[in-house]
Amino acid sequence: QKAKIPYLIPWAAAAENTENGYAQNYLFRISANDRLASVFIVDYAIERHKKPAIIVENSIWGRRNLKRMCAHLGDKGINAVARIVYNRGQKSFQKEIAQIIRSEADSLIMVANSKEGALIVKELFKQNKALPIISHWGILGGTFFEKNQKILQSVDLTFFQTFSFSKNNTPHFKELQKNYFLAFGKNLTNKSKAIAGITQAYDLVRLLELAIQKAESTDRQRVKEALENLPPYDGVVKRYAPAFSAENHDALNEKDYFMA
């Protein structure tokens, strides 16, 4: 903010990133906004289950999600039967899973990154507790699926997403696939890590390109103002009509969310 550098966010979901209170806001995001995503995830869970437990990592991302999720459950007249905060880097989840089992939860809402998410799922499996898991998308950023391939065949896992490979027939997606192969020597598939981050980052840089062209300059303030006044654009993730405004620096909302 002090340097007035347009800052592009293709992955982080904390609401406070873009809803930061600055009159001249230099942060722009194509990603989830947890103010909306936490409610979306809870609504999905309670349409299917009545006694959810919640486990989150001890970070702004995790704690704020826990607060919003519990508040929304309360609005619906439901209490989370267990509310657990763990530390990033934690190696054992035996105590946490024991608490979840004692709570008689019928489902688990999980806000975790790949490494700890894998350990949570393994511990549930070890305890022979086949709880449905409704997860935020942090598990998509690492080796969660590779490390849990056999276990996941018997786990009811759904996870938050913003990009679907069903959209892969657009010219923009085909261009991304071609460029991805040229850059990394491998194909972009639904098994690629953090596919939402890849596609959101790609669209963000394209929008930055459009803003620089519109501003006819790389002057930071002019580029910021151009980002707030872009024409509609058909991206990989969606059609932005437009992506941002002076009041709203989030290009996605709950209409763009789904569970996979």
Side-chain angles (χ1 to χ4, degrees), residues 161-174:
Q161 256 306 13
T162 54
F163 174 77
S164 169
F165 262 80
S166 65
K167 301 176 182 179
N168 63 4
N169 288 322
T170 67
H172 295 274
F173 186 74
K174 289 174 181 174

Side-chain angles (χ1 to χ4, degrees), residues 16-246:
E16 294 77 11
N17 285 323
T18 49
E19 297 173 1
N20 51 40
Y22 288 108
Q24 292 296 318
N25 182 5
Y26 276 79
L27 285 84
F28 295 83
R29 173 163 58 190
I30 300 180
S31 184
N33 178 328
D34 275 341
R35 181 174 54 79
L36 306 173
S38 56
V39 171
F40 184 88
I41 292 167
V42 164
D43 281 343
Y44 180 90
I46 62 177
E47 279 174 11
R48 294 157 180 82
H49 312 289
K50 300 304 176 193
K51 296 172 65 180
I54 305 176
I55 187 166
V56 306
E57 73 164 34
N58 187 12
S59 64
I60 288 175
W61 178 55
R63 292 191 305 270
R64 295 283 169 83
N65 266 292
L66 179 63
K67 183 178 179 181
R68 290 190 180 98
M69 287 175 172
C70 289
H72 188 60
L73 283 170
D75 290 343
K76 299 288 185 179
I78 300 170
N79 283 320
V81 295
R83 306 175 185 187
I84 298 170
V85 180
Y86 69 86
N87 290 318
R88 190 179 292 190
Q90 194 167 313
K91 298 291 191 291
S92 171
F93 286 86
Q94 192 171 356
K95 183 178 72 173
E96 288 79 6
I97 298 306
Q99 183 181 341
I100 290 165
I101 292 170
R102 286 196 304 272
S103 75
E104 299 185 347
D106 65 0
S107 54
L108 179 62
I109 298 173
M110 184 169 74
V111 181
N113 282 313
S114 172
K115 192 176 290 185
E116 293 81 18
L119 293 172
I120 291 166
V121 171
K122 282 176 181 173
E123 188 62 37
L124 271 172
F125 187 77
K126 195 161 70 174
Q127 299 298 330
N128 198 29
K129 191 66 177 174
L131 284 180
I133 298 171
I134 302 97
S135 179
H136 210 317
W137 64 7
I139 58 173
L140 304 178
T143 56
F144 175 87
F145 290 96
E146 293 92 324
K147 288 185 175 179
N148 284 296
Q149 269 186 333
K150 290 183 180 178
I151 291 174
L152 289 174
Q153 290 172 15
S154 56
V155 174
D156 178 4
L157 171 71
T158 50
F159 52 88
F160 178 86
Q161 256 306 13
T162 54
F163 174 77
S164 169
F165 262 80
S166 65
K167 301 176 182 179
N168 63 4
N169 288 322
T170 67
H172 295 274
F173 186 74
K174 289 174 181 174
E175 181 190 38
L176 168 57
Q177 284 183 307
K178 181 185 74 175
N179 290 337
Y180 188 88
F181 185 82
L182 289 172
F184 302 111
K186 55 186 177 183
N187 291 322
L188 184 64
T189 71
N190 60 3
K191 292 184 179 180
S192 299
K193 291 182 180 65
I195 185 66
I198 293 168
T199 52
Q200 288 161 186
Y202 195 78
D203 280 355
L204 263 172
V205 176
R206 287 297 193 203
L207 291 171
L208 175 64
E209 178 186 17
L210 287 176
I212 291 169
Q213 290 171 353
K214 181 179 176 68
E216 297 182 336
S217 169
T218 55
D219 176 80
R220 298 167 183 180
Q221 187 168 349
R222 287 174 67 180
V223 170
K224 170 199 172 290
E225 290 167 358
L227 281 165
E228 293 172 337
N229 292 280
L230 290 172
Y233 173 72
D234 288 303
V236 174
V237 177
K238 64 177 282 187
R239 174 174 170 79
Y240 305 95
F244 310 111
S245 69

Side-chain angles (χ1 to χ4, degrees), residues 1-12:
Q1 284 294 139
K2 288 178 183 176
K4 298 184 177 179
I5 298 172
Y7 191 104
L8 308 181
I9 304 172
W11 184 250

